[in-house]
Amino acid sequence: MKGLLLALQSVAASALRAGRVGGGGGAVRLAGGERAVRLACTNSRTGAGRAAFLAAAAAGAGAGLSSTAMCSNGEGEANLQSAAAGHQIPASQIPSTLPQRKSIDEPDETPEHNPLLPFPESALRHDTYSGVTLDLTTLAASLDTDEFGHMLHKALEIWTAEHRRGIWLKLSTAQSHLIASATSQGFDFQHAEPGYCVLTKWLPKETLSRLPNGPTHQVGIGALVIHPLTGKMLAVQERTGPAAKRKLWKMPTGLTDPGEDIAVAAVRELKEETGLDCVFDKIICFRQAHGGLFGRSDMFFVCLCRLAPEAEERVRNGGEVELLPQEEEILQADWIDMEDYATQGVRRESPLYRTMNGAMLKAAKKGISYSSLNGDEGGDGDDGSHGFVAKNLPVGFRPGSNTIYVSSKL
């Protein structure tokens, strides 16, 4: 184990020197003597993501944390093994204690497989709601339509007798010819993503379906960054979209990716749209809206971020902050007065935007008050430093961690 830690720490140090850890791909922070690990696995398949994971694993192992518990996307073991292979760490030295990540609703003990079922056990997953998922993507794409229809009919008879409730059916794009067989037996669409779709069927006849709807919300972020010397805010003008139509300046914004924390998305969007390396501080406010694309609702979080320490130090020593607008989406990026931003066109007339911009102005009052610099604990009084700070904590009773956002005043 000691040899593994030394190897991981060496890789982490190389990654830090190369500037790949703490940028857009991932972040590792050791806080004082606690050796607290903060890992943002925004894309574990990139070199930066693997380097960040290795750095976190090196630090976390020294703190008694498992690598899986530090990586919220549940790919800890795979990341560690692939990265280790790339850096000549023998597989025999990879800790064997990395637990497999299970779905939140997966039972501790899987029911015994019924041999009468026409589908293999590997294609089935049971949940804690007496439901079953039939994952056809694990089977051949060339399943015969008629044969599948007979197999599904038999399976439904068995599951009904076993008092199963919700049945989930996952098919790949290549298996779309099987959809008609499923819908003819009472299945309906639940959601679809590139590459697959999911259909569901509620078996109990005496009750209405208790299965959840498909995804109802999209989650977006807006990133507020204040120049450490001028007090101006970072703003962009987009090439297309509603703001571009009105020629409005706006914060760097974007949608979270699947499995991505709000804090990580804010840092990523800043890097993608402006080229800046930044650090998430807290959520200032958030807005809920309805009636979006295909009836989806929208949650939009305004996040206060600050320049990464090395960039801020460069500015305070007389250097410049280079802005690199994303060519495909961003027309220009600049630092502008917050008052000018808040009083643009239609926003000046909007009660919603007056309130949102007022919260941003308050957060930037008297320069800026960062929770990450003042400590997570907020003091008494109304000094503009209120907000929601991010804490990534182990779940404890199962592998993995979640990010909780709590008031900086609590």
Side-chain angles (χ1 to χ4, degrees):
M1 176 65 73
K2 183 176 180 182
L4 170 64
L5 291 179
L6 290 175
L8 289 173
Q9 288 166 348
S10 175
V11 174
S14 299
L16 285 165
R17 286 194 297 271
R20 291 183 293 172
V21 177
V28 175
R29 181 176 65 187
L30 303 183
E34 298 180 87
R35 306 193 70 179
V37 178
R38 183 181 177 190
L39 172 65
C41 292
T42 58
N43 189 344
S44 61
R45 292 166 295 187
T46 66
R50 287 193 295 272
F53 183 82
L54 282 166
L65 299 175
S66 77
S67 51
T68 303
M70 293 183 290
C71 189
S72 61
N73 67 6
E75 297 176 349
E77 185 171 10
N79 290 343
L80 180 56
Q81 289 175 339
S82 69
H87 293 281
Q88 289 77 49
I89 300 175
S92 60
Q93 294 187 26
I94 297 175
S96 59
T97 56
L98 297 179
Q100 292 293 324
R101 178 71 179 272
K102 299 179 75 174
S103 174
I104 293 175
D105 65 349
E106 192 170 343
D108 293 332
E109 295 184 6
T110 302
E112 185 176 347
H113 180 65
N114 189 330
L116 298 179
L117 283 167
F119 296 104
E121 185 176 7
S122 59
L124 304 175
R125 185 179 68 81
H126 295 263
D127 60 49
T128 56
Y129 300 96
S130 297
V132 181
T133 296
L134 171 56
D135 187 355
L136 294 181
T137 65
T138 63
L139 305 180
S142 57
L143 275 172
D144 178 74
T145 303
D146 292 336
E147 181 182 1
F148 168 71
H150 292 307
M151 294 167 67
L152 184 60
H153 179 76
K154 182 176 181 180
L156 289 174
E157 287 184 333
I158 293 174
W159 288 327
T160 299
E162 292 177 346
H163 302 290
R164 303 298 176 194
R165 290 154 59 86
I167 307 300
W168 303 73
L169 179 61
K170 182 179 180 181
L171 305 96
S172 68
T173 303
Q175 296 169 325
S176 58
H177 61 285
L178 304 177
I179 291 176
S181 293
T183 57
S184 67
Q185 298 189 53
F187 280 83
D188 205 344
F189 293 101
Q190 206 269 354
H191 74 276
E193 299 288 346
Y196 75 90
C197 70
V198 174
L199 293 84
T200 60
K201 177 180 173 67
W202 181 253
L203 293 184
K205 302 292 186 183
E206 66 279 5
T207 62
L208 295 175
S209 174
R210 305 300 301 164
L211 293 175
N213 294 322
T216 60
H217 285 67
Q218 64 180 18
V219 178
I221 62 91
L224 173 63
V225 182
I226 306 299
H227 193 285
L229 298 183
T230 67
K232 294 184 176 183
M233 70 173 284
L234 176 65
V236 298
Q237 284 190 332
E238 295 180 331
R239 294 184 179 276
T240 60
K245 180 180 178 180
R246 295 184 171 90
K247 296 184 172 21
L248 296 174
W249 288 94
K250 58 180 291 188
M251 295 175 284
T253 61
L255 297 176
T256 58
D257 290 333
E260 184 179 43
D261 285 342
I262 292 167
V264 177
V267 172
R268 174 183 56 77
E269 286 290 347
L270 282 166
K271 181 69 172 179
E272 289 177 359
E273 293 195 0
T274 69
L276 287 184
D277 290 320
C278 294
V279 178
F280 173 88
D281 188 68
K282 60 192 173 190
I283 294 171
I284 298 172
C285 62
F286 56 93
R287 176 223 68 201
Q288 184 177 23
H290 307 288
L293 187 65
F294 297 110
R296 284 192 179 184
S297 299
D298 178 85
M299 297 288 289
F300 181 76
F301 294 82
V302 179
C303 303
L304 178 63
C305 299
R306 61 187 179 92
L307 294 178
E310 57 272 19
E312 186 168 326
E313 182 180 1
R314 186 166 64 250
V315 170
R316 294 190 183 281
N317 290 333
E320 295 292 332
V321 179
E322 185 180 12
L323 299 178
L324 302 172
Q326 186 182 40
E327 194 171 320
E328 296 83 3
E329 297 182 13
I330 306 302
L331 183 64
Q332 59 179 323
D334 204 352
W335 302 93
I336 69 173
D337 289 328
M338 289 196 69
E339 289 77 7
D340 293 340
Y341 174 87
T343 56
Q344 294 180 95
V346 294
R347 290 179 180 161
R348 182 177 60 250
E349 306 161 6
S350 166
L352 170 67
Y353 279 93
R354 283 204 304 268
T355 301
M356 181 186 295
N357 293 335
M360 293 163 56
L361 286 164
K362 193 171 186 179
K365 185 179 177 183
K366 298 179 182 177
I368 203 71
S369 179
Y370 290 113
S371 298
S372 56
L373 298 181
N374 299 331
D376 284 347
E377 305 300 327
D380 295 329
D382 191 12
D383 60 0
S385 62
H386 62 291
F388 295 89
V389 295
K391 297 183 179 182
N392 189 267
L393 303 173
V395 176
F397 58 86
R398 61 175 174 82
S401 62
N402 287 175
T403 301
I404 184 171
Y405 298 86
V406 297
S407 173
S408 58
K409 293 296 184 182
L410 297 179

